[in-house]
Amino acid sequence: FPVTIITPSVSASNLARTVGYIENQSANGLNLQLIVVVEEDFIPFLSPKIPLKDIKIIKNKKGLDKGCRARDIGICLADAEYVSFWDDDNIYYPHAAVSLYLTALNHDIGIVNTYHNGYIIPNDNDIAPGYIDTMCMCIKKDVAIKIKWADDYGRYSDYKYLSKLLALNHTVNRTDIIIGHHL
């Protein structure tokens, strides 16, 4: 698989909506793997459709870490060259998966944009707390696994995680393409 989408979930309805966004991706020829880490007491029923070629569902006890451990679990289980992180409470446009992958391709990290609170983030070359989101990143798995999301629980974990990766001087590619809307 070129890309694994990792989705922590605490809501069956949010997960169903996000799977719908994945199934509606304009990703002809791009095989996607989905790893869902369920952190609540529900059992999702997922029927893979194109472009999903593989789905793994992992049950994990709920943490108060905003999905940090779930993302770490997903990275370890990913079978793809690249991983991306789709929270189940965001809106993803039909070009999101392809844009993430093509931005990261031949780089260690790809960064795309999203709408958030009336702004486009990230909005400059600096990554700042509150101006980056998990949905903006696509990272080579062998790079992503070097840093743990769960090292810094809570607010701005996406900023903390990405900042630690960027400090390791990996190759980065950015685009102005907007792939969705953070809710």
Side-chain angles (χ1 to χ4, degrees), residues 10 15 34 50 70 94 115 118 120 123 130 132 136 141 150 154 167 171:
V10 296
L15 178 59
L34 172 62
I50 293 172
Y115 290 111
I120 296 172
N123 58 4
I132 187 67
C136 298
K141 178 186 173 172
T171 60

Side-chain angles (χ1 to χ4, degrees), residues 139-164:
I139 304 167
K140 262 191 176 174
K141 178 186 173 172
D142 62 349
V143 171
I145 206 162
K146 291 179 181 180
I147 302 294
K148 296 289 184 202
W149 280 87
D151 285 350
D152 288 307
Y153 294 144
R155 191 171 172 111
Y156 304 130
S157 61
D158 42 15
Y159 162 75
K160 294 172 188 176
Y161 175 77
L162 183 57
S163 293
K164 289 177 183 178

Side-chain angles (χ1 to χ4, degrees), residues 85-152:
F85 309 97
W86 291 31
D87 290 346
D88 70 356
D89 58 352
N90 293 332
I91 296 169
Y92 298 90
Y93 298 158
H95 62 274
V98 168
S99 297
L100 283 158
Y101 175 66
L102 291 178
T103 301
L105 187 63
N106 298 320
H107 295 85
D108 297 321
I109 300 169
I111 300 174
V112 300
N113 290 346
T114 190
Y115 290 111
H116 179 58
N117 291 332
Y119 296 96
I120 296 172
I121 64 168
N123 58 4
D124 56 30
N125 286 331
D126 292 327
I127 303 299
Y131 292 93
I132 187 67
D133 191 72
T134 57
M135 71 188 295
C136 298
M137 310 175 214
C138 188
I139 304 167
K140 262 191 176 174
K141 178 186 173 172
D142 62 349
V143 171
I145 206 162
K146 291 179 181 180
I147 302 294
K148 296 289 184 202
W149 280 87
D151 285 350
D152 288 307

